[in-house]
């Protein structure tokens, strides 16, 4: 009898020990979204492999990545072509206004991948990110689509529709409920948030109503709205706020503690401390 009691005790103890590590974590349980994969060595907006690894090592599990198309129809990570990332091969693109570059003028996937960021950081395609996620199963990617959302998400589903684990760790980051509805008609993604709800907080009641209707659990808001009394209405409806973009940990702890933050430099480990 004692023998069986010992087995039951050990088995039960094993279950208790395992349960925390197997507990499901929602993307909005994390406090930090690493902006453009996070900063590295004083550089921002690299969307690079090294930045991704550096942020992960510092406890980040939510990563903002910027999605654009190459000229040959692959999705690559790049915030703006007008930014100077010390890539003379792409300087010709700086003559164009944002959103006006003909796709045929863009680099191919191979050209993009063969041109280091700031001469030392590895540029990423979306396929590279998916490969990275397979060995970092607790990471979530917050997708900032810089081009047509329907085209972008259609491409993602066409290429990864069989990989439910990856799709369930992608966070749609839409600028409007209209975009969100259109994307959800392409595929019923599990995770999504409203992005940069910044220009106007009028109509916040309708906004909250739409969030509840679509089960939106998180929204990013510009820092300048910090003292707007309507922010509390958003919080009280169970919607997590991520403030964009804050890089000072002291400012964060004094003003935004309890909310999330989109940041180049603040890390999840810093907030946990």
């Amino acid at each position: 009898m004692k023998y069986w009691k010992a087995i039951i005790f050990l088995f039960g103890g094993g279950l208790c020990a395992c349960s925390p590590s197997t507990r499901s974590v929602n993307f909005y349980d994390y406090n930090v979204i690493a902006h453009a994969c996070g900063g590295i060595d004083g550089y921002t907006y690299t969307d690079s492999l090294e930045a991704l690894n550096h942020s992960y090592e510092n406890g980040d599990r939510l990563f903002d990545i910027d999605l654009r198309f190459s000229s040959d129809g692959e999705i690559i990570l790049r915030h703006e072509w007008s930014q100077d990332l010390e890539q003379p091969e792409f300087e010709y693109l700086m003559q164009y206004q944002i959103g006006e570059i003909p796709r045929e003028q863009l680099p191919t996937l191979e050209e993009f991948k063969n041109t280091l960021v700031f001469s030392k950081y590895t540029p990423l395609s979306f396929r590279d990110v998916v490969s990275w996620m397979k060995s970092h199963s607790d990471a979530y990617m917050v997708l900032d689509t810089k081009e047509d959302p329907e085209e972008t998400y259609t491409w993602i589903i066409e290429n990864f529709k069989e990989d439910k684990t990856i799709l369930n760790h992608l966070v749609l980051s839409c600028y409007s409920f209209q975009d969100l509805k259109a994307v959800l008609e392409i595929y019923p993604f599990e995770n999504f948030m409203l992005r940069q709800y910044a220009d106007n907080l009028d109509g916040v009641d309708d906004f909250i109503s739409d969030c509840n209707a679509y089960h939106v659990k998180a929204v990013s808001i510009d820092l300048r709205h910090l003292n707007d009394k309507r922010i509390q209405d958003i919080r009280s409806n169970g919607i997590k706020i991520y403030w964009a973009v804050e890089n000072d940990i002291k400012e964060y702890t004094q003003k935004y503690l309890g909310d999330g933050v989109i940041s180049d430099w603040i890390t999840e480990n810093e907030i946990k401390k």
Side-chain angles (χ1 to χ4, degrees), residues 37 40 46-54 121-124 128 132:
C37 294
I40 183 170
T46 69
D47 276 305
S48 67
L49 175 62
E50 291 78 8
L52 191 58
N53 287 330
H54 178 71
Y121 302 119
T122 307
L124 293 169
D128 295 329
W132 185 90

Side-chain angles (χ1 to χ4, degrees), residues 8-22:
I8 292 169
F9 174 79
L10 289 172
F11 184 67
L15 285 175
C16 292
C18 291
S19 57
S21 61
T22 56

Side-chain angles (χ1 to χ4, degrees), residues 31-32 54-61 249 266-273:
N31 297 300
V32 174
H54 178 71
S55 298
Y56 189 89
E57 290 166 4
N58 283 295
D60 295 340
R61 295 296 181 268
I249 185 64
I266 298 173
T267 67
E268 195 74 33
N269 285 349
E270 281 186 291
I271 291 179
K272 287 179 179 177
K273 290 180 182 178

Side-chain angles (χ1 to χ4, degrees), residues 170-209:
L170 301 180
V171 182
L172 313 192
S173 186
C174 297
Y175 287 87
S176 69
F177 285 104
Q178 182 179 354
D179 285 347
L180 177 59
K181 181 180 179 181
V183 173
L184 291 178
E185 288 175 355
I186 297 169
Y187 181 84
F189 288 93
E190 289 190 355
N191 301 306
F192 36 83
M193 62 184 293
L194 267 292
R195 187 178 190 89
Q196 297 294 10
Y197 186 64
D199 297 331
N200 190 352
L201 285 182
D202 292 335
V204 71
D205 291 338
D206 290 338
F207 171 76
I208 291 171
S209 177

Side-chain angles (χ1 to χ4, degrees), residues 20-228:
S21 61
T22 56
R23 180 178 63 86
S24 177
V25 178
N26 297 307
F27 80 90
Y28 47 84
D29 291 330
Y30 296 111
N31 297 300
V32 174
I33 300 177
H35 189 217
C37 294
I40 183 170
D41 302 329
Y43 296 106
T44 59
Y45 290 104
T46 69
D47 276 305
S48 67
L49 175 62
E50 291 78 8
L52 191 58
N53 287 330
H54 178 71
S55 298
Y56 189 89
E57 290 166 4
N58 283 295
D60 295 340
R61 295 296 181 268
L62 265 178
F63 302 91
D64 163 68
I65 59 175
D66 302 299
L67 306 185
R68 293 187 176 278
F69 280 97
S70 65
S71 62
D72 49 350
E74 288 287 314
I75 292 182
I76 56 179
L77 273 60
R78 176 81 181 208
H79 187 266
E80 297 291 351
W81 291 109
S82 59
Q83 287 175 300
D84 184 7
L85 302 183
E86 296 184 8
Q87 297 170 305
E89 297 89 339
F90 302 150
E91 284 182 358
Y92 71 96
L93 295 172
M94 294 183 183
Q95 64 182 299
Y96 293 99
Q97 298 296 316
I98 293 175
E100 294 183 356
I101 304 175
R103 186 165 293 181
E104 62 270 17
Q105 294 296 317
L106 295 171
T108 64
L109 174 65
E110 183 178 5
E111 290 167 341
F112 177 79
K113 291 289 299 293
N114 287 336
T115 307
L116 296 178
V117 176
F118 293 113
S119 302
K120 54 183 174 179
Y121 302 119
T122 307
L124 293 169
S125 70
F126 189 78
R127 295 184 194 276
D128 295 329
V129 172
V130 169
S131 296
W132 185 90
M133 292 175 70
K134 289 180 178 178
S135 58
H136 300 77
S137 59
D138 53 349
Y140 286 88
M141 295 294 157
V142 181
L143 309 183
D144 186 359
T145 56
K146 297 298 185 182
E147 298 180 22
D148 181 75
E150 292 185 56
E151 181 184 13
T152 302
Y153 285 110
T154 297
W155 185 96
I156 290 172
I157 294 305
E158 286 177 350
N159 285 278
F160 298 102
K161 60 186 175 184
E162 304 301 328
D163 201 332
K164 299 295 192 294
T165 300
I166 292 298
L167 295 179
N168 290 342
H169 276 249
L170 301 180
V171 182
L172 313 192
S173 186
C174 297
Y175 287 87
S176 69
F177 285 104
Q178 182 179 354
D179 285 347
L180 177 59
K181 181 180 179 181
V183 173
L184 291 178
E185 288 175 355
I186 297 169
Y187 181 84
F189 288 93
E190 289 190 355
N191 301 306
F192 36 83
M193 62 184 293
L194 267 292
R195 187 178 190 89
Q196 297 294 10
Y197 186 64
D199 297 331
N200 190 352
L201 285 182
D202 292 335
V204 71
D205 291 338
D206 290 338
F207 171 76
I208 291 171
S209 177
D210 286 337
C211 282
N212 291 334
Y214 283 92
H215 306 290
V216 173
K217 297 298 184 182
V219 58
S220 67
I221 295 182
D222 193 276
L223 299 178
R224 69 177 180 268
H225 294 303
L226 173 65
N227 297 316
D228 194 305

